[in-house]
Amino acid sequence: MAEKIYEIRIVKVDNMPPQTRREIIRQVNTKSEHFDYQGYAKITYITASPKSIKSIEPIEGTAIDYFKGKSSQISVF
Amino acid sequence: MIIACPKAFAGTENDMEREFLRAYLVEVSGREKVMLADRVWDAFKCKQREKFPKLAENNISDMRGSFEPENSDLDENNDEINPKDCSYDEMVKETNSLVDRKWAEIDIFLCEEREKYSASEKVKTINLKDFLLECMSKSELREFMKDFFSRYANEKYK
């Protein structure tokens, strides 16, 4: 059974603490040169209280790219 | 604090404007989420699980990154409190109550149906389209807005 995910947050890496920025940059350096990193990352939390991080990873493009097209899946009202 | 009505949060219109709001929250505040009435969040979860059984859990986790209910939807053991669906009128009523109770802390009430919310008169009330337009006039958001429109231009303005 897949692990339950509590929350997914997109963050601007510049606003994160230094150790987080270093980890993101380390991961970006392992990606191919075609990976379009623009300073944003995705944090996945598995629990809410205390907040527990499952993963943090750089994303391609910006937050605009990440959210683009998502609304059609969430419209319910 | 930003509060949203059910339609601003997950309505079937204004997709682009809602996506803009979510990107704006990342860009500008980094931490702030839009608050919802508890029953709106509960109804959203119920309807997601009904309409998109395979995608619902991921959609809910994803939306939690931008939106939150007034009160946690978890119990003391960190387990989800069983969400209860409700009618649209009940969602409107509870959202109106939320705005009425928290009016002094509210910066913006994002609302698509102003006439349904009597408490909207107490706070700055704006719909998603006007929120986007208001951001267009802010000089500090110039680059962000340019980026936003360039990424949407191909699909939306063909």
Side-chain angles (χ1 to χ4, degrees):
Chain A
M1 191 176 147
E3 190 172 32
K4 191 157 168 103
I5 292 169
Y6 175 69
E7 178 180 337
I8 297 167
R9 284 206 89 159
I10 301 302
V11 294
K12 206 171 177 179
V13 176
D14 281 351
N15 296 336
M16 302 305 287
Q19 69 273 17
T20 314
R21 292 203 297 268
R22 279 197 295 274
E23 169 58 18
I24 297 294
I25 297 304
R26 188 193 66 74
Q27 290 189 38
V28 171
N29 289 335
T30 66
K31 306 274 185 192
S32 85
E33 60 184 31
H34 302 296
F35 187 81
D36 182 25
Y37 174 68
Q38 292 189 32
Y40 294 83
K42 179 170 95 168
I43 305 180
T44 304
Y45 297 94
I46 44 171
T47 58
S49 182
K51 270 203 162 182
S52 176
I53 292 174
K54 179 189 175 201
S55 65
I56 178 162
E57 53 195 316
I59 60 169
E60 291 196 81
T62 67
I64 296 168
D65 296 309
Y66 180 84
F67 293 121
K68 192 174 169 189
K70 279 188 179 272
S71 282
S72 59
Q73 288 171 23
I74 56 105
S75 303
V76 289
F77 298 134
Chain B
M1 177 190 293
I2 303 177
I3 288 184
C5 78
K7 291 225 189 264
F9 162 56
T12 52
E13 293 176 351
N14 303 308
D15 285 356
M16 181 182 79
E17 290 80 2
R18 188 174 304 104
E19 288 161 14
F20 168 79
L21 169 68
R22 299 184 72 191
Y24 166 90
L25 291 171
V26 172
E27 194 69 25
V28 174
S29 81
R31 305 266 176 218
E32 189 177 8
K33 293 185 184 182
V34 174
M35 186 181 282
L36 308 164
D38 295 343
R39 298 193 81 170
V40 174
W41 180 247
D42 268 13
F44 169 72
K45 290 197 291 186
C46 291
K47 287 179 169 54
Q48 271 288 322
R49 287 168 181 159
E50 187 187 307
K51 279 179 79 171
F52 308 107
K54 287 186 178 166
L55 300 169
E57 297 313 316
N58 192 59
N59 289 346
I60 292 165
S61 307
D62 193 59
M63 286 294 271
R64 208 188 283 273
S66 309
F67 299 91
E68 63 184 354
E70 181 184 10
N71 298 294
S72 173
D73 56 350
L74 304 177
D75 63 18
E76 61 276 11
N77 298 319
N78 221 8
D79 293 322
E80 184 185 37
I81 300 166
N82 209 17
K84 290 187 181 71
D85 204 353
C86 67
S87 70
Y88 189 71
D89 285 348
E90 286 170 312
M91 283 188 254
V92 170
K93 192 175 166 191
E94 197 176 307
T95 301
N96 198 48
S97 161
L98 177 64
V99 175
D100 197 38
R101 285 183 285 108
K102 292 205 176 273
W103 67 271
E105 298 171 64
I106 297 172
D107 299 304
I108 301 171
F109 175 37
L110 290 168
C111 180
E112 296 298 316
E113 299 170 303
R114 190 179 192 136
E115 69 287 355
K116 290 191 175 178
Y117 299 87
S118 56
S120 67
E121 289 178 13
K122 290 184 171 183
V123 297
K124 177 179 176 179
T125 301
I126 189 168
N127 64 29
L128 287 170
K129 270 197 172 66
D130 287 342
F131 178 71
L132 191 154
L133 290 173
E134 194 174 279
C135 289
M136 281 173 74
S137 65
K138 292 182 180 169
S139 58
E140 68 273 22
L141 292 176
R142 191 171 296 139
E143 285 305 309
F144 174 67
M145 299 306 297
K146 197 172 144 192
D147 192 28
F148 178 78
F149 283 111
S150 73
R151 283 161 203 272
Y152 274 81
N154 290 340
E155 290 171 30
K156 299 282 176 184
Y157 303 106
K158 267 178 187 171

